[in-house]
PDB file of all heavy atoms in Angstrom:
ATOM      1  N   ALA J  59    -106.673 -58.470  72.236  1.00  0.00           N
ATOM      2  CA  ALA J  59    -106.945 -57.128  72.695  1.00  0.00           C
ATOM      3  C   ALA J  59    -106.075 -56.843  73.949  1.00  0.00           C
ATOM      4  O   ALA J  59    -105.593 -55.760  74.141  1.00  0.00           O
ATOM      5  CB  ALA J  59    -108.373 -56.852  72.957  1.00  0.00           C
ATOM      6  N   VAL J  60    -105.983 -57.877  74.803  1.00  0.00           N
ATOM      7  CA  VAL J  60    -105.177 -57.699  75.999  1.00  0.00           C
ATOM      8  C   VAL J  60    -103.710 -57.545  75.690  1.00  0.00           C
ATOM      9  O   VAL J  60    -103.022 -56.587  76.183  1.00  0.00           O
ATOM     10  CB  VAL J  60    -105.340 -58.974  76.940  1.00  0.00           C
ATOM     11  CG1 VAL J  60    -104.432 -58.856  78.105  1.00  0.00           C
ATOM     12  CG2 VAL J  60    -106.762 -59.028  77.457  1.00  0.00           C
ATOM     13  N   GLU J  61    -103.191 -58.341  74.753  1.00  0.00           N
ATOM     14  CA  GLU J  61    -101.791 -58.169  74.363  1.00  0.00           C
ATOM     15  C   GLU J  61    -101.563 -56.890  73.662  1.00  0.00           C
ATOM     16  O   GLU J  61    -100.518 -56.197  73.959  1.00  0.00           O
ATOM     17  CB  GLU J  61    -101.424 -59.388  73.362  1.00  0.00           C
ATOM     18  CG  GLU J  61    -101.403 -60.718  74.088  1.00  0.00           C
ATOM     19  CD  GLU J  61    -101.214 -61.811  73.073  1.00  0.00           C
ATOM     20  OE1 GLU J  61    -100.739 -61.560  71.912  1.00  0.00           O
ATOM     21  OE2 GLU J  61    -101.516 -62.979  73.432  1.00  0.00           O
ATOM     22  N   ALA J  62    -102.539 -56.361  72.876  1.00  0.00           N
ATOM     23  CA  ALA J  62    -102.346 -55.123  72.100  1.00  0.00           C
ATOM     24  C   ALA J  62    -102.354 -53.983  73.141  1.00  0.00           C
ATOM     25  O   ALA J  62    -101.550 -53.001  73.081  1.00  0.00           O
ATOM     26  CB  ALA J  62    -103.430 -54.927  71.111  1.00  0.00           C
ATOM     27  N   GLY J  63    -103.195 -54.041  74.208  1.00  0.00           N
ATOM     28  CA  GLY J  63    -103.248 -52.994  75.220  1.00  0.00           C
ATOM     29  C   GLY J  63    -101.956 -52.841  76.015  1.00  0.00           C
ATOM     30  O   GLY J  63    -101.460 -51.777  76.273  1.00  0.00           O
ATOM     31  N   LEU J  64    -101.405 -54.008  76.373  1.00  0.00           N
ATOM     32  CA  LEU J  64    -100.120 -54.083  77.072  1.00  0.00           C
ATOM     33  C   LEU J  64     -99.081 -53.462  76.193  1.00  0.00           C
ATOM     34  O   LEU J  64     -98.300 -52.646  76.690  1.00  0.00           O
ATOM     35  CB  LEU J  64     -99.769 -55.447  77.519  1.00  0.00           C
ATOM     36  CG  LEU J  64     -98.460 -55.625  78.161  1.00  0.00           C
ATOM     37  CD1 LEU J  64     -98.304 -54.800  79.399  1.00  0.00           C
ATOM     38  CD2 LEU J  64     -98.216 -57.082  78.546  1.00  0.00           C
ATOM     39  N   ARG J  65     -98.965 -53.902  74.950  1.00  0.00           N
ATOM     40  CA  ARG J  65     -97.959 -53.300  74.062  1.00  0.00           C
ATOM     41  C   ARG J  65     -98.091 -51.842  73.915  1.00  0.00           C
ATOM     42  O   ARG J  65     -97.063 -51.072  73.887  1.00  0.00           O
ATOM     43  CB  ARG J  65     -98.034 -53.964  72.691  1.00  0.00           C
ATOM     44  CG  ARG J  65     -97.313 -55.321  72.552  1.00  0.00           C
ATOM     45  CD  ARG J  65     -97.197 -55.755  71.101  1.00  0.00           C
ATOM     46  NE  ARG J  65     -98.338 -55.670  70.304  1.00  0.00           N
ATOM     47  CZ  ARG J  65     -99.333 -56.577  70.246  1.00  0.00           C
ATOM     48  NH1 ARG J  65     -99.193 -57.681  70.901  1.00  0.00           N
ATOM     49  NH2 ARG J  65    -100.383 -56.358  69.486  1.00  0.00           N
ATOM     50  N   ASN J  66     -99.308 -51.311  73.793  1.00  0.00           N
ATOM     51  CA  ASN J  66     -99.529 -49.916  73.630  1.00  0.00           C
ATOM     52  C   ASN J  66     -99.111 -49.101  74.904  1.00  0.00           C
ATOM     53  O   ASN J  66     -98.394 -48.125  74.821  1.00  0.00           O
ATOM     54  CB  ASN J  66    -100.988 -49.643  73.296  1.00  0.00           C
ATOM     55  CG  ASN J  66    -101.219 -48.189  72.923  1.00  0.00           C
ATOM     56  OD1 ASN J  66    -100.584 -47.637  72.018  1.00  0.00           O
ATOM     57  ND2 ASN J  66    -102.136 -47.482  73.626  1.00  0.00           N
ATOM     58  N   ALA J  67     -99.480 -49.599  76.059  1.00  0.00           N
ATOM     59  CA  ALA J  67     -99.201 -48.892  77.274  1.00  0.00           C
ATOM     60  C   ALA J  67     -97.657 -48.986  77.534  1.00  0.00           C
ATOM     61  O   ALA J  67     -97.096 -47.933  77.952  1.00  0.00           O
ATOM     62  CB  ALA J  67     -99.985 -49.514  78.424  1.00  0.00           C
ATOM     63  N   ARG J  68     -97.097 -50.102  77.348  1.00  0.00           N
ATOM     64  CA  ARG J  68     -95.684 -50.229  77.617  1.00  0.00           C
ATOM     65  C   ARG J  68     -94.825 -49.364  76.599  1.00  0.00           C
ATOM     66  O   ARG J  68     -93.875 -48.768  77.013  1.00  0.00           O
ATOM     67  CB  ARG J  68     -95.253 -51.753  77.596  1.00  0.00           C
ATOM     68  CG  ARG J  68     -93.751 -51.916  77.911  1.00  0.00           C
ATOM     69  CD  ARG J  68     -93.433 -51.389  79.309  1.00  0.00           C
ATOM     70  NE  ARG J  68     -91.998 -51.232  79.447  1.00  0.00           N
ATOM     71  CZ  ARG J  68     -91.324 -51.485  80.528  1.00  0.00           C
ATOM     72  NH1 ARG J  68     -91.975 -51.910  81.627  1.00  0.00           N
ATOM     73  NH2 ARG J  68     -90.064 -51.248  80.600  1.00  0.00           N
ATOM     74  N   GLY J  69     -95.328 -49.408  75.367  1.00  0.00           N
ATOM     75  CA  GLY J  69     -94.629 -48.584  74.413  1.00  0.00           C
ATOM     76  C   GLY J  69     -94.694 -47.024  74.633  1.00  0.00           C
ATOM     77  O   GLY J  69     -93.710 -46.360  74.573  1.00  0.00           O
ATOM     78  N   ALA J  70     -95.878 -46.622  75.173  1.00  0.00           N
ATOM     79  CA  ALA J  70     -96.012 -45.249  75.619  1.00  0.00           C
ATOM     80  C   ALA J  70     -95.004 -44.918  76.732  1.00  0.00           C
ATOM     81  O   ALA J  70     -94.378 -43.877  76.786  1.00  0.00           O
ATOM     82  CB  ALA J  70     -97.439 -44.999  76.057  1.00  0.00           C
ATOM     83  N   PHE J  71     -95.003 -45.886  77.744  1.00  0.00           N
ATOM     84  CA  PHE J  71     -94.072 -45.616  78.850  1.00  0.00           C
ATOM     85  C   PHE J  71     -92.567 -45.597  78.327  1.00  0.00           C
ATOM     86  O   PHE J  71     -91.853 -44.682  78.773  1.00  0.00           O
ATOM     87  CB  PHE J  71     -94.195 -46.765  79.845  1.00  0.00           C
ATOM     88  CG  PHE J  71     -93.164 -46.656  81.019  1.00  0.00           C
ATOM     89  CD1 PHE J  71     -93.403 -45.801  82.085  1.00  0.00           C
ATOM     90  CD2 PHE J  71     -92.023 -47.359  81.064  1.00  0.00           C
ATOM     91  CE1 PHE J  71     -92.541 -45.646  83.105  1.00  0.00           C
ATOM     92  CE2 PHE J  71     -91.045 -47.219  82.041  1.00  0.00           C
ATOM     93  CZ  PHE J  71     -91.341 -46.363  83.120  1.00  0.00           C
ATOM     94  N   ASP J  72     -92.206 -46.522  77.542  1.00  0.00           N
ATOM     95  CA  ASP J  72     -90.823 -46.544  77.032  1.00  0.00           C
ATOM     96  C   ASP J  72     -90.485 -45.242  76.225  1.00  0.00           C
ATOM     97  O   ASP J  72     -89.380 -44.754  76.419  1.00  0.00           O
ATOM     98  CB  ASP J  72     -90.594 -47.750  76.124  1.00  0.00           C
ATOM     99  CG  ASP J  72     -90.582 -49.033  76.939  1.00  0.00           C
ATOM    100  OD1 ASP J  72     -90.498 -48.992  78.225  1.00  0.00           O
ATOM    101  OD2 ASP J  72     -90.753 -50.137  76.321  1.00  0.00           O
ATOM    102  N   GLN J  73     -91.496 -44.776  75.554  1.00  0.00           N
ATOM    103  CA  GLN J  73     -91.216 -43.558  74.678  1.00  0.00           C
ATOM    104  C   GLN J  73     -91.188 -42.278  75.613  1.00  0.00           C
ATOM    105  O   GLN J  73     -90.226 -41.473  75.421  1.00  0.00           O
ATOM    106  CB  GLN J  73     -92.338 -43.426  73.605  1.00  0.00           C
ATOM    107  CG  GLN J  73     -92.104 -42.253  72.670  1.00  0.00           C
ATOM    108  CD  GLN J  73     -93.152 -42.233  71.641  1.00  0.00           C
ATOM    109  OE1 GLN J  73     -94.320 -42.731  71.769  1.00  0.00           O
ATOM    110  NE2 GLN J  73     -92.845 -41.517  70.469  1.00  0.00           N
ATOM    111  N   VAL J  74     -92.132 -42.153  76.436  1.00  0.00           N
ATOM    112  CA  VAL J  74     -92.284 -40.937  77.212  1.00  0.00           C
ATOM    113  C   VAL J  74     -91.404 -40.838  78.348  1.00  0.00           C
ATOM    114  O   VAL J  74     -90.715 -39.831  78.767  1.00  0.00           O
ATOM    115  CB  VAL J  74     -93.728 -40.728  77.616  1.00  0.00           C
ATOM    116  CG1 VAL J  74     -93.884 -39.525  78.652  1.00  0.00           C
ATOM    117  CG2 VAL J  74     -94.619 -40.572  76.484  1.00  0.00           C
ATOM    118  N   CYS J  75     -91.129 -41.922  79.052  1.00  0.00           N
ATOM    119  CA  CYS J  75     -90.376 -41.889  80.381  1.00  0.00           C
ATOM    120  C   CYS J  75     -89.018 -42.472  80.279  1.00  0.00           C
ATOM    121  O   CYS J  75     -88.433 -42.703  81.335  1.00  0.00           O
ATOM    122  CB  CYS J  75     -91.239 -42.766  81.431  1.00  0.00           C
ATOM    123  SG  CYS J  75     -92.818 -42.081  81.719  1.00  0.00           S
ATOM    124  N   SER J  76     -88.477 -42.688  79.064  1.00  0.00           N
ATOM    125  CA  SER J  76     -87.223 -43.342  79.010  1.00  0.00           C
ATOM    126  C   SER J  76     -86.103 -42.515  79.596  1.00  0.00           C
ATOM    127  O   SER J  76     -85.100 -43.132  80.168  1.00  0.00           O
ATOM    128  CB  SER J  76     -86.830 -43.584  77.486  1.00  0.00           C
ATOM    129  OG  SER J  76     -86.732 -42.368  76.762  1.00  0.00           O
ATOM    130  N   GLY J  77     -86.125 -41.249  79.663  1.00  0.00           N
ATOM    131  CA  GLY J  77     -85.141 -40.415  80.251  1.00  0.00           C
ATOM    132  C   GLY J  77     -85.394 -39.997  81.667  1.00  0.00           C
ATOM    133  O   GLY J  77     -84.681 -39.210  82.278  1.00  0.00           O
ATOM    134  N   MET J  78     -86.445 -40.470  82.222  1.00  0.00           N
ATOM    135  CA  MET J  78     -86.833 -40.036  83.600  1.00  0.00           C
ATOM    136  C   MET J  78     -86.310 -41.039  84.639  1.00  0.00           C
ATOM    137  O   MET J  78     -86.706 -42.192  84.593  1.00  0.00           O
ATOM    138  CB  MET J  78     -88.396 -39.947  83.738  1.00  0.00           C
ATOM    139  CG  MET J  78     -89.019 -38.902  82.847  1.00  0.00           C
ATOM    140  SD  MET J  78     -90.785 -38.898  83.032  1.00  0.00           S
ATOM    141  CE  MET J  78     -90.988 -38.475  84.770  1.00  0.00           C
TER     142      MET J  78
END
Side-chain angles (χ1 to χ4, degrees):
V60 171
E61 293 175 18
L64 174 59
R65 276 194 313 273
N66 188 53
R68 183 60 199 218
F71 176 82
D72 290 343
Q73 184 179 20
V74 172
C75 299
S76 62
M78 295 178 64

